Amino acid sequence: MAANLKGRHFLKLVDFSSEEIKDLLTLSAALKANKRAGVRGKALEGTNIALIFEKPSTRTRCAFVVACVDEGAHPEYLGKGDIQLGKKETVADTARVLGRFFDGIEFRGFSHQTVETLAEYAGVPVWNGLTDKWHPTQILADLLTVQEAFGRLEGLSLAYVGDGRNNMANSLMVGCAKMGMDVRIVAPPSLHPEAELVQMVEGLASETGGKVTVTADAEEGVKGAHVVYTDVWASMGEEAQIADRIATLGPYRVTTQMMEMTGRRDAIFLHCLPAFHNLETDVAREYPEIREVEDEVFEGRWSRVFDQAENRMHTIKAVMVATLGH
Ligand code: CP
Ligand code: NVA
């Protein structure tokens, strides 16, 4: 790897240069090839890793656990209610204690400030496994999946359709702009990203040859897109807004017609998951219109969502190996 990321935190992609992100993708691909070849690493041997989760998780939790074990580390899951973080003990105090025990700390939760405070006080690398504002490890998996599908990133266009101001929209804008991609946020005006963030991303795109567009027009937004991406309409913690979101985002459901509107035979569909695409979950049975993507797309020829999910593990492993590994 060209860049030396030892000792660095991984809190948001804004903190990383385009080269550093590319290096993490190169390392991810190498670790993936090793895993496929049955080669186990020892880069994290002898280390202990704390995994703090205020919110539920399937992919991120399991990716961290498996990546730790593959590279010889011991992962310790600290779920909601297991520790005092912010309740009977300040985040800064918990950070200083955990930093004495552990070699690295992952945090998933609500406030982005919590993971920043952990990083400030822990004295060991801290990795963001999702906050309300950013989901940076997800973007590495997304970029790796796009790179695998098209052989490159620069110059490709990605249309994110749905809630344009959530952690995924924010993070995709930054990650794609840093890779010189043409990123479009396709959302109703009430769910457009913060103007300040768009301005910052436009600055990033101007340095890489990338482009950022925010539009409410789905046809214009997906035209020519190599990748159509969506996420749930109500993120974790926004359950009270489900009915409102269904009303606002109904026209933005990813359908076969929308995939065809890209005009590209080779367009792919991505979703960070979990996804509502049929009526086989409790929440979708209660709110049948909650589906952000049609089953025909999710299960169809465009979909790379399970390659993308697998890539969570390889990319999270790369983040830990690059920042902590020996
Ligand atoms: N995509 C993602 O972060 O999934 P989990 O919520 O299951 O970790
Ligand atoms: N925006 C979603 C992403 C889940 C991976 C959420 O925060 O719930």
Side-chain angles (χ1 to χ4, degrees), residues 99-165:
R100 301 279 180 122
F101 294 176
F102 291 96
D103 302 285
I105 300 171
E106 178 276 354
F107 172 82
R108 162 172 290 201
F110 292 89
S111 166
H112 186 74
Q113 187 52 50
T114 304
V115 78
E116 294 280 351
T117 306
L118 280 171
E120 187 180 344
Y121 288 93
V124 297
V126 172
W127 308 298
N128 178 4
L130 178 148
T131 61
D132 286 345
K133 178 98 178 163
W134 305 109
H135 195 7
T137 63
Q138 177 70 50
I139 308 309
L140 293 181
D142 303 342
L143 294 173
L144 183 62
T145 310
V146 175
Q147 194 168 278
E148 288 170 344
F150 293 97
R152 67 193 167 104
L153 291 172
E154 203 171 334
L156 298 183
S157 45
L158 180 147
Y160 170 92
V161 185
D163 177 3
R165 33 99 289 163

Short mmCIF file of all heavy atoms in Angstrom, two decimals, residues 99-165:
data_model
loop_
_atom_site.label_atom_id
_atom_site.label_comp_id
_atom_site.label_asym_id
_atom_site.label_seq_id
_atom_site.Cartn_x
_atom_site.Cartn_y
_atom_site.Cartn_z
N GLY A 99 -9.91 2.38 25.61
CA GLY A 99 -8.61 2.57 24.95
C GLY A 99 -7.46 1.92 25.71
O GLY A 99 -6.42 1.59 25.13
N ARG A 100 -7.65 1.74 27.05
CA ARG A 100 -6.61 1.05 27.84
C ARG A 100 -6.67 -0.47 27.64
O ARG A 100 -5.70 -1.17 27.89
CB ARG A 100 -6.80 1.33 29.34
CG ARG A 100 -6.74 2.79 29.73
CD ARG A 100 -5.31 3.27 29.86
NE ARG A 100 -5.26 4.68 30.23
CZ ARG A 100 -4.66 5.15 31.33
NH1 ARG A 100 -4.06 4.33 32.17
NH2 ARG A 100 -4.64 6.44 31.56
N PHE A 101 -7.85 -0.97 27.27
CA PHE A 101 -8.03 -2.42 27.12
C PHE A 101 -7.88 -2.89 25.67
O PHE A 101 -7.34 -3.95 25.42
CB PHE A 101 -9.45 -2.85 27.57
CG PHE A 101 -9.75 -2.67 29.03
CD1 PHE A 101 -11.03 -2.94 29.50
CD2 PHE A 101 -8.80 -2.26 29.92
CE1 PHE A 101 -11.35 -2.80 30.84
CE2 PHE A 101 -9.10 -2.10 31.28
CZ PHE A 101 -10.38 -2.37 31.73
N PHE A 102 -8.43 -2.11 24.78
CA PHE A 102 -8.56 -2.56 23.38
C PHE A 102 -7.57 -1.85 22.47
O PHE A 102 -7.12 -0.74 22.76
CB PHE A 102 -10.00 -2.30 22.89
CG PHE A 102 -11.03 -3.19 23.56
CD1 PHE A 102 -11.74 -2.73 24.66
CD2 PHE A 102 -11.26 -4.47 23.09
CE1 PHE A 102 -12.68 -3.55 25.28
CE2 PHE A 102 -12.20 -5.30 23.70
CZ PHE A 102 -12.91 -4.84 24.80
N ASP A 103 -7.31 -2.50 21.33
CA ASP A 103 -6.39 -1.94 20.33
C ASP A 103 -7.12 -1.16 19.24
O ASP A 103 -6.50 -0.42 18.48
CB ASP A 103 -5.59 -3.08 19.70
CG ASP A 103 -4.84 -3.87 20.75
OD1 ASP A 103 -3.82 -3.37 21.24
OD2 ASP A 103 -5.31 -4.98 21.13
N GLY A 104 -8.43 -1.37 19.14
CA GLY A 104 -9.23 -0.65 18.15
C GLY A 104 -10.68 -0.70 18.59
O GLY A 104 -11.09 -1.63 19.30
N ILE A 105 -11.46 0.30 18.20
CA ILE A 105 -12.86 0.41 18.63
C ILE A 105 -13.74 0.74 17.43
O ILE A 105 -13.49 1.72 16.73
CB ILE A 105 -13.04 1.51 19.70
CG1 ILE A 105 -12.18 1.20 20.94
CG2 ILE A 105 -14.51 1.66 20.09
CD1 ILE A 105 -12.13 2.36 21.95
N GLU A 106 -14.77 -0.08 17.23
CA GLU A 106 -15.80 0.24 16.22
C GLU A 106 -17.00 0.80 16.96
O GLU A 106 -17.34 0.33 18.04
CB GLU A 106 -16.20 -1.02 15.46
CG GLU A 106 -17.29 -0.81 14.42
CD GLU A 106 -18.72 -0.84 14.95
OE1 GLU A 106 -18.93 -1.15 16.16
OE2 GLU A 106 -19.64 -0.56 14.18
N PHE A 107 -17.65 1.82 16.36
CA PHE A 107 -18.87 2.38 16.95
C PHE A 107 -19.95 2.52 15.91
O PHE A 107 -19.72 3.09 14.84
CB PHE A 107 -18.60 3.76 17.56
CG PHE A 107 -19.86 4.45 18.02
CD1 PHE A 107 -20.43 4.14 19.24
CD2 PHE A 107 -20.48 5.39 17.20
CE1 PHE A 107 -21.62 4.77 19.65
CE2 PHE A 107 -21.65 6.02 17.60
CZ PHE A 107 -22.23 5.71 18.83
N ARG A 108 -21.15 2.01 16.21
CA ARG A 108 -22.36 2.30 15.42
C ARG A 108 -23.38 2.94 16.34
O ARG A 108 -23.67 2.39 17.41
CB ARG A 108 -22.95 1.03 14.82
CG ARG A 108 -24.41 1.27 14.40
CD ARG A 108 -25.05 0.17 13.64
NE ARG A 108 -24.48 0.07 12.31
CZ ARG A 108 -25.09 -0.53 11.29
NH1 ARG A 108 -26.29 -1.06 11.45
NH2 ARG A 108 -24.51 -0.60 10.12
N GLY A 109 -23.94 4.06 15.91
CA GLY A 109 -24.96 4.66 16.77
C GLY A 109 -25.62 5.85 16.12
O GLY A 109 -25.63 5.99 14.89
N PHE A 110 -26.16 6.69 16.96
CA PHE A 110 -26.97 7.81 16.50
C PHE A 110 -26.08 9.01 16.17
O PHE A 110 -25.78 9.27 15.01
CB PHE A 110 -28.04 8.16 17.55
CG PHE A 110 -29.07 7.07 17.70
CD1 PHE A 110 -28.89 6.02 18.58
CD2 PHE A 110 -30.22 7.08 16.91
CE1 PHE A 110 -29.83 5.00 18.69
CE2 PHE A 110 -31.16 6.06 17.01
CZ PHE A 110 -30.97 5.02 17.91
N SER A 111 -25.65 9.73 17.19
CA SER A 111 -24.95 10.99 16.97
C SER A 111 -23.54 10.77 16.41
O SER A 111 -22.74 10.00 16.97
CB SER A 111 -24.87 11.74 18.30
OG SER A 111 -23.94 12.78 18.19
N HIS A 112 -23.23 11.51 15.34
CA HIS A 112 -21.87 11.40 14.80
C HIS A 112 -20.85 11.95 15.80
O HIS A 112 -19.70 11.50 15.85
CB HIS A 112 -21.74 12.13 13.46
CG HIS A 112 -20.40 11.92 12.85
ND1 HIS A 112 -20.02 10.74 12.26
CD2 HIS A 112 -19.30 12.72 12.81
CE1 HIS A 112 -18.76 10.82 11.87
NE2 HIS A 112 -18.30 12.01 12.20
N GLN A 113 -21.28 12.89 16.64
CA GLN A 113 -20.37 13.46 17.63
C GLN A 113 -19.83 12.38 18.58
O GLN A 113 -18.70 12.46 19.05
CB GLN A 113 -21.09 14.58 18.42
CG GLN A 113 -20.19 15.35 19.36
CD GLN A 113 -18.92 15.90 18.68
OE1 GLN A 113 -19.00 16.53 17.63
NE2 GLN A 113 -17.75 15.62 19.27
N THR A 114 -20.65 11.36 18.85
CA THR A 114 -20.20 10.30 19.77
C THR A 114 -18.95 9.62 19.23
O THR A 114 -17.98 9.40 19.97
CB THR A 114 -21.32 9.26 19.98
OG1 THR A 114 -22.49 9.93 20.44
CG2 THR A 114 -20.91 8.20 21.00
N VAL A 115 -18.94 9.29 17.94
CA VAL A 115 -17.77 8.58 17.40
C VAL A 115 -16.57 9.53 17.31
O VAL A 115 -15.42 9.11 17.49
CB VAL A 115 -18.11 7.90 16.05
CG1 VAL A 115 -18.13 8.85 14.87
CG2 VAL A 115 -17.17 6.74 15.76
N GLU A 116 -16.83 10.81 17.09
CA GLU A 116 -15.73 11.79 17.08
C GLU A 116 -15.12 11.90 18.49
O GLU A 116 -13.90 11.98 18.64
CB GLU A 116 -16.22 13.17 16.61
CG GLU A 116 -16.69 13.21 15.15
CD GLU A 116 -15.56 13.31 14.12
OE1 GLU A 116 -14.40 13.51 14.51
OE2 GLU A 116 -15.86 13.16 12.92
N THR A 117 -15.98 11.89 19.52
CA THR A 117 -15.48 11.99 20.90
C THR A 117 -14.71 10.72 21.28
O THR A 117 -13.65 10.79 21.92
CB THR A 117 -16.65 12.24 21.87
OG1 THR A 117 -17.37 13.38 21.42
CG2 THR A 117 -16.17 12.46 23.30
N LEU A 118 -15.23 9.57 20.89
CA LEU A 118 -14.51 8.32 21.14
C LEU A 118 -13.11 8.42 20.53
O LEU A 118 -12.11 8.07 21.17
CB LEU A 118 -15.24 7.13 20.51
CG LEU A 118 -16.45 6.55 21.26
CD1 LEU A 118 -17.17 5.53 20.38
CD2 LEU A 118 -16.03 5.89 22.58
N ALA A 119 -13.05 8.89 19.30
CA ALA A 119 -11.76 8.98 18.60
C ALA A 119 -10.82 9.97 19.29
O ALA A 119 -9.61 9.74 19.40
CB ALA A 119 -11.99 9.40 17.15
N GLU A 120 -11.40 11.04 19.80
CA GLU A 120 -10.57 12.07 20.45
C GLU A 120 -9.91 11.53 21.72
O GLU A 120 -8.78 11.87 22.03
CB GLU A 120 -11.45 13.29 20.76
CG GLU A 120 -10.67 14.47 21.27
CD GLU A 120 -11.56 15.66 21.58
OE1 GLU A 120 -12.73 15.68 21.12
OE2 GLU A 120 -11.08 16.56 22.30
N TYR A 121 -10.64 10.67 22.44
CA TYR A 121 -10.15 10.26 23.76
C TYR A 121 -9.60 8.85 23.85
O TYR A 121 -8.94 8.51 24.84
CB TYR A 121 -11.27 10.42 24.79
CG TYR A 121 -11.57 11.86 25.11
CD1 TYR A 121 -12.54 12.57 24.43
CD2 TYR A 121 -10.83 12.53 26.09
CE1 TYR A 121 -12.80 13.91 24.70
CE2 TYR A 121 -11.07 13.87 26.39
CZ TYR A 121 -12.06 14.55 25.68
OH TYR A 121 -12.30 15.87 25.96
N ALA A 122 -9.88 7.97 22.87
CA ALA A 122 -9.55 6.55 23.06
C ALA A 122 -8.04 6.27 22.99
O ALA A 122 -7.55 5.34 23.63
CB ALA A 122 -10.29 5.70 22.03
N GLY A 123 -7.33 7.01 22.15
CA GLY A 123 -5.90 6.74 22.03
C GLY A 123 -5.61 5.52 21.15
O GLY A 123 -4.46 5.08 21.05
N VAL A 124 -6.62 4.93 20.55
CA VAL A 124 -6.46 3.81 19.61
C VAL A 124 -7.36 4.12 18.40
O VAL A 124 -8.28 4.95 18.51
CB VAL A 124 -6.87 2.45 20.24
CG1 VAL A 124 -5.98 2.10 21.43
CG2 VAL A 124 -8.35 2.43 20.64
N PRO A 125 -7.14 3.44 17.26
CA PRO A 125 -8.00 3.72 16.10
C PRO A 125 -9.48 3.45 16.39
O PRO A 125 -9.82 2.45 17.02
CB PRO A 125 -7.47 2.76 15.02
CG PRO A 125 -6.05 2.53 15.40
CD PRO A 125 -6.04 2.52 16.92
N VAL A 126 -10.32 4.38 15.94
CA VAL A 126 -11.78 4.25 16.08
C VAL A 126 -12.38 4.23 14.67
O VAL A 126 -11.99 5.04 13.82
CB VAL A 126 -12.35 5.41 16.92
CG1 VAL A 126 -13.89 5.40 16.89
CG2 VAL A 126 -11.85 5.32 18.36
N TRP A 127 -13.29 3.30 14.44
CA TRP A 127 -13.91 3.12 13.11
C TRP A 127 -15.41 3.35 13.21
O TRP A 127 -16.08 2.79 14.09
CB TRP A 127 -13.62 1.70 12.60
CG TRP A 127 -12.17 1.33 12.65
CD1 TRP A 127 -11.14 1.93 11.99
CD2 TRP A 127 -11.57 0.28 13.43
NE1 TRP A 127 -9.94 1.33 12.29
CE2 TRP A 127 -10.18 0.30 13.18
CE3 TRP A 127 -12.07 -0.68 14.32
CZ2 TRP A 127 -9.30 -0.60 13.76
CZ3 TRP A 127 -11.18 -1.58 14.91
CH2 TRP A 127 -9.82 -1.52 14.64
N ASN A 128 -15.94 4.12 12.28
CA ASN A 128 -17.37 4.43 12.27
C ASN A 128 -18.16 3.35 11.52
O ASN A 128 -18.04 3.22 10.30
CB ASN A 128 -17.57 5.80 11.59
CG ASN A 128 -19.04 6.19 11.49
OD1 ASN A 128 -19.92 5.47 11.98
ND2 ASN A 128 -19.30 7.31 10.87
N GLY A 129 -18.97 2.62 12.26
CA GLY A 129 -19.81 1.57 11.66
C GLY A 129 -21.20 2.06 11.31
O GLY A 129 -22.08 1.25 11.07
N LEU A 130 -21.43 3.34 11.27
CA LEU A 130 -22.67 4.06 10.89
C LEU A 130 -23.07 5.01 12.01
O LEU A 130 -23.14 4.62 13.18
CB LEU A 130 -23.84 3.11 10.59
CG LEU A 130 -25.21 3.73 10.23
CD1 LEU A 130 -25.98 2.83 9.25
CD2 LEU A 130 -26.06 3.95 11.48
N THR A 131 -23.29 6.24 11.61
CA THR A 131 -23.95 7.22 12.49
C THR A 131 -25.08 7.85 11.67
O THR A 131 -25.23 7.55 10.49
CB THR A 131 -22.98 8.33 12.96
OG1 THR A 131 -22.49 9.03 11.79
CG2 THR A 131 -21.81 7.76 13.74
N ASP A 132 -25.84 8.72 12.31
CA ASP A 132 -26.93 9.37 11.58
C ASP A 132 -26.42 10.17 10.38
O ASP A 132 -27.16 10.40 9.43
CB ASP A 132 -27.72 10.31 12.51
CG ASP A 132 -28.61 9.53 13.47
OD1 ASP A 132 -28.83 8.32 13.24
OD2 ASP A 132 -29.08 10.12 14.46
N LYS A 133 -25.17 10.58 10.44
CA LYS A 133 -24.63 11.47 9.41
C LYS A 133 -23.84 10.73 8.31
O LYS A 133 -23.91 11.11 7.14
CB LYS A 133 -23.73 12.49 10.11
CG LYS A 133 -23.03 13.46 9.21
CD LYS A 133 -23.75 14.78 9.13
CE LYS A 133 -22.99 15.74 8.24
NZ LYS A 133 -23.76 16.86 7.80
N TRP A 134 -23.06 9.72 8.70
CA TRP A 134 -22.14 9.07 7.75
C TRP A 134 -22.14 7.56 7.91
O TRP A 134 -22.33 7.06 9.02
CB TRP A 134 -20.69 9.56 7.96
CG TRP A 134 -20.45 11.02 7.90
CD1 TRP A 134 -20.13 11.83 8.95
CD2 TRP A 134 -20.46 11.88 6.74
NE1 TRP A 134 -19.95 13.12 8.52
CE2 TRP A 134 -20.14 13.18 7.16
CE3 TRP A 134 -20.69 11.64 5.38
CZ2 TRP A 134 -20.06 14.26 6.28
CZ3 TRP A 134 -20.62 12.72 4.50
CH2 TRP A 134 -20.30 14.01 4.97
N HIS A 135 -21.83 6.86 6.79
CA HIS A 135 -21.66 5.40 6.84
C HIS A 135 -20.45 5.04 5.94
O HIS A 135 -20.61 4.45 4.87
CB HIS A 135 -22.94 4.72 6.35
CG HIS A 135 -23.01 3.26 6.68
ND1 HIS A 135 -22.10 2.60 7.47
CD2 HIS A 135 -23.93 2.30 6.30
CE1 HIS A 135 -22.44 1.32 7.57
NE2 HIS A 135 -23.53 1.11 6.87
N PRO A 136 -19.25 5.42 6.37
CA PRO A 136 -18.10 5.36 5.45
C PRO A 136 -17.65 3.95 5.08
O PRO A 136 -17.19 3.74 3.95
CB PRO A 136 -17.00 6.10 6.22
CG PRO A 136 -17.38 5.97 7.66
CD PRO A 136 -18.88 6.00 7.68
N THR A 137 -17.77 2.96 5.97
CA THR A 137 -17.31 1.62 5.58
C THR A 137 -18.22 1.05 4.49
O THR A 137 -17.76 0.28 3.64
CB THR A 137 -17.24 0.63 6.77
OG1 THR A 137 -18.55 0.44 7.31
CG2 THR A 137 -16.28 1.10 7.85
N GLN A 138 -19.49 1.44 4.50
CA GLN A 138 -20.42 0.97 3.46
C GLN A 138 -19.95 1.44 2.08
O GLN A 138 -20.02 0.70 1.09
CB GLN A 138 -21.83 1.49 3.75
CG GLN A 138 -22.85 1.12 2.69
CD GLN A 138 -23.20 -0.36 2.66
OE1 GLN A 138 -23.51 -0.93 3.70
NE2 GLN A 138 -23.13 -0.98 1.50
N ILE A 139 -19.47 2.67 2.02
CA ILE A 139 -19.09 3.23 0.72
C ILE A 139 -17.89 2.49 0.12
O ILE A 139 -17.81 2.32 -1.10
CB ILE A 139 -18.78 4.75 0.84
CG1 ILE A 139 -19.93 5.47 1.52
CG2 ILE A 139 -18.46 5.35 -0.53
CD1 ILE A 139 -21.31 5.22 0.95
N LEU A 140 -16.97 2.06 0.97
CA LEU A 140 -15.84 1.29 0.44
C LEU A 140 -16.36 0.03 -0.24
O LEU A 140 -15.90 -0.35 -1.33
CB LEU A 140 -14.86 0.92 1.56
CG LEU A 140 -14.09 2.05 2.22
CD1 LEU A 140 -13.16 1.49 3.29
CD2 LEU A 140 -13.29 2.85 1.18
N ALA A 141 -17.32 -0.65 0.38
CA ALA A 141 -17.90 -1.86 -0.21
C ALA A 141 -18.62 -1.53 -1.52
O ALA A 141 -18.53 -2.28 -2.50
CB ALA A 141 -18.85 -2.53 0.77
N ASP A 142 -19.31 -0.40 -1.54
CA ASP A 142 -20.05 0.01 -2.73
C ASP A 142 -19.07 0.28 -3.89
O ASP A 142 -19.28 -0.17 -5.02
CB ASP A 142 -20.87 1.27 -2.46
CG ASP A 142 -21.83 1.08 -1.30
OD1 ASP A 142 -22.11 -0.08 -0.94
OD2 ASP A 142 -22.30 2.10 -0.75
N LEU A 143 -18.00 1.02 -3.57
CA LEU A 143 -17.03 1.35 -4.61
C LEU A 143 -16.33 0.10 -5.13
O LEU A 143 -16.11 -0.05 -6.33
CB LEU A 143 -16.00 2.36 -4.07
CG LEU A 143 -16.55 3.75 -3.71
CD1 LEU A 143 -15.47 4.60 -3.03
CD2 LEU A 143 -17.08 4.48 -4.96
N LEU A 144 -16.00 -0.81 -4.23
CA LEU A 144 -15.36 -2.06 -4.67
C LEU A 144 -16.29 -2.84 -5.60
O LEU A 144 -15.86 -3.37 -6.63
CB LEU A 144 -14.98 -2.92 -3.44
CG LEU A 144 -14.24 -4.23 -3.75
CD1 LEU A 144 -12.89 -3.98 -4.44
CD2 LEU A 144 -14.03 -5.06 -2.47
N THR A 145 -17.57 -2.85 -5.27
CA THR A 145 -18.55 -3.59 -6.09
C THR A 145 -18.68 -2.94 -7.47
O THR A 145 -18.74 -3.65 -8.49
CB THR A 145 -19.92 -3.62 -5.37
OG1 THR A 145 -19.71 -4.05 -4.02
CG2 THR A 145 -20.89 -4.56 -6.05
N VAL A 146 -18.71 -1.62 -7.51
CA VAL A 146 -18.80 -0.92 -8.80
C VAL A 146 -17.54 -1.18 -9.63
O VAL A 146 -17.59 -1.46 -10.83
CB VAL A 146 -19.02 0.60 -8.59
CG1 VAL A 146 -19.00 1.35 -9.92
CG2 VAL A 146 -20.34 0.85 -7.86
N GLN A 147 -16.39 -1.12 -8.95
CA GLN A 147 -15.11 -1.36 -9.64
C GLN A 147 -15.06 -2.78 -10.21
O GLN A 147 -14.59 -3.00 -11.32
CB GLN A 147 -13.99 -1.16 -8.62
CG GLN A 147 -12.61 -1.03 -9.20
CD GLN A 147 -11.65 -0.53 -8.12
OE1 GLN A 147 -11.55 0.65 -7.83
NE2 GLN A 147 -10.96 -1.46 -7.49
N GLU A 148 -15.58 -3.74 -9.45
CA GLU A 148 -15.61 -5.13 -9.94
C GLU A 148 -16.53 -5.25 -11.16
O GLU A 148 -16.24 -6.02 -12.08
CB GLU A 148 -16.10 -6.07 -8.83
CG GLU A 148 -15.08 -6.28 -7.73
CD GLU A 148 -15.63 -7.01 -6.52
OE1 GLU A 148 -16.88 -7.12 -6.37
OE2 GLU A 148 -14.83 -7.49 -5.70
N ALA A 149 -17.61 -4.50 -11.14
CA ALA A 149 -18.59 -4.61 -12.24
C ALA A 149 -18.11 -3.93 -13.52
O ALA A 149 -18.36 -4.42 -14.61
CB ALA A 149 -19.93 -4.02 -11.81
N PHE A 150 -17.42 -2.78 -13.38
CA PHE A 150 -17.08 -1.99 -14.57
C PHE A 150 -15.57 -1.87 -14.82
O PHE A 150 -15.17 -1.27 -15.82
CB PHE A 150 -17.69 -0.58 -14.47
CG PHE A 150 -19.20 -0.59 -14.52
CD1 PHE A 150 -19.95 -0.54 -13.36
CD2 PHE A 150 -19.86 -0.65 -15.74
CE1 PHE A 150 -21.34 -0.55 -13.40
CE2 PHE A 150 -21.24 -0.66 -15.80
CZ PHE A 150 -21.99 -0.62 -14.62
N GLY A 151 -14.77 -2.39 -13.89
CA GLY A 151 -13.31 -2.35 -14.08
C GLY A 151 -12.69 -1.00 -13.78
O GLY A 151 -11.48 -0.82 -13.96
N ARG A 152 -13.49 -0.03 -13.37
CA ARG A 152 -12.97 1.32 -13.06
C ARG A 152 -14.03 2.07 -12.27
O ARG A 152 -15.18 1.58 -12.15
CB ARG A 152 -12.65 2.08 -14.34
CG ARG A 152 -13.89 2.41 -15.15
CD ARG A 152 -13.61 2.90 -16.56
NE ARG A 152 -14.85 2.88 -17.33
CZ ARG A 152 -15.57 3.95 -17.65
NH1 ARG A 152 -15.17 5.14 -17.27
NH2 ARG A 152 -16.67 3.85 -18.33
N LEU A 153 -13.66 3.25 -11.78
CA LEU A 153 -14.62 4.10 -11.08
C LEU A 153 -14.72 5.47 -11.76
O LEU A 153 -15.82 5.99 -11.97
CB LEU A 153 -14.21 4.30 -9.62
CG LEU A 153 -14.30 3.05 -8.73
CD1 LEU A 153 -13.69 3.33 -7.35
CD2 LEU A 153 -15.76 2.61 -8.57
N GLU A 154 -13.57 6.02 -12.10
CA GLU A 154 -13.52 7.37 -12.66
C GLU A 154 -14.41 7.47 -13.90
O GLU A 154 -14.37 6.59 -14.77
CB GLU A 154 -12.07 7.69 -13.03
CG GLU A 154 -11.81 9.17 -13.08
CD GLU A 154 -10.32 9.47 -13.23
OE1 GLU A 154 -9.49 8.64 -12.82
OE2 GLU A 154 -10.02 10.54 -13.78
N GLY A 155 -15.21 8.51 -13.93
CA GLY A 155 -16.05 8.76 -15.11
C GLY A 155 -17.39 8.03 -15.10
O GLY A 155 -18.24 8.29 -15.94
N LEU A 156 -17.57 7.11 -14.14
CA LEU A 156 -18.86 6.41 -14.08
C LEU A 156 -19.90 7.29 -13.38
O LEU A 156 -19.55 8.14 -12.56
CB LEU A 156 -18.73 5.10 -13.30
CG LEU A 156 -17.79 4.02 -13.86
CD1 LEU A 156 -17.87 2.77 -12.98
CD2 LEU A 156 -18.14 3.67 -15.29
N SER A 157 -21.17 7.03 -13.69
CA SER A 157 -22.22 7.81 -13.02
C SER A 157 -23.06 6.92 -12.11
O SER A 157 -23.40 5.78 -12.47
CB SER A 157 -23.09 8.53 -14.04
OG SER A 157 -23.42 7.65 -15.08
N LEU A 158 -23.36 7.45 -10.94
CA LEU A 158 -24.16 6.74 -9.94
C LEU A 158 -25.32 7.63 -9.53
O LEU A 158 -25.11 8.78 -9.13
CB LEU A 158 -23.30 6.39 -8.72
CG LEU A 158 -23.98 5.63 -7.57
CD1 LEU A 158 -23.00 4.68 -6.88
CD2 LEU A 158 -24.62 6.57 -6.54
N ALA A 159 -26.54 7.09 -9.66
CA ALA A 159 -27.74 7.83 -9.25
C ALA A 159 -28.27 7.21 -7.97
O ALA A 159 -28.66 6.04 -7.96
CB ALA A 159 -28.79 7.78 -10.35
N TYR A 160 -28.25 7.98 -6.90
CA TYR A 160 -28.84 7.54 -5.63
C TYR A 160 -30.26 8.10 -5.58
O TYR A 160 -30.46 9.32 -5.64
CB TYR A 160 -28.01 8.05 -4.45
CG TYR A 160 -28.70 7.81 -3.12
CD1 TYR A 160 -28.48 6.65 -2.40
CD2 TYR A 160 -29.61 8.74 -2.63
CE1 TYR A 160 -29.15 6.42 -1.20
CE2 TYR A 160 -30.29 8.52 -1.44
CZ TYR A 160 -30.05 7.36 -0.73
OH TYR A 160 -30.71 7.13 0.45
N VAL A 161 -31.23 7.20 -5.47
CA VAL A 161 -32.64 7.59 -5.54
C VAL A 161 -33.32 7.31 -4.21
O VAL A 161 -33.30 6.17 -3.72
CB VAL A 161 -33.36 6.77 -6.65
CG1 VAL A 161 -34.79 7.24 -6.83
CG2 VAL A 161 -32.61 6.85 -7.97
N GLY A 162 -33.91 8.32 -3.58
CA GLY A 162 -34.62 8.08 -2.32
C GLY A 162 -34.43 9.20 -1.33
O GLY A 162 -34.54 10.38 -1.70
N ASP A 163 -34.14 8.85 -0.08
CA ASP A 163 -33.94 9.84 0.98
C ASP A 163 -32.58 10.50 0.78
O ASP A 163 -31.54 9.94 1.14
CB ASP A 163 -34.03 9.15 2.35
CG ASP A 163 -33.76 10.11 3.49
OD1 ASP A 163 -33.55 11.32 3.23
OD2 ASP A 163 -33.74 9.66 4.66
N GLY A 164 -32.60 11.68 0.21
CA GLY A 164 -31.36 12.35 -0.20
C GLY A 164 -30.59 13.03 0.91
O GLY A 164 -29.59 13.69 0.64
N ARG A 165 -31.07 12.91 2.15
CA ARG A 165 -30.31 13.59 3.22
C ARG A 165 -29.96 12.62 4.35
O ARG A 165 -29.77 13.05 5.50
CB ARG A 165 -31.03 14.84 3.74
CG ARG A 165 -32.55 14.87 3.75
CD ARG A 165 -33.17 14.57 5.08
NE ARG A 165 -32.98 13.15 5.36
CZ ARG A 165 -33.11 12.62 6.56
NH1 ARG A 165 -33.42 13.34 7.58
NH2 ARG A 165 -32.95 11.31 6.73
#
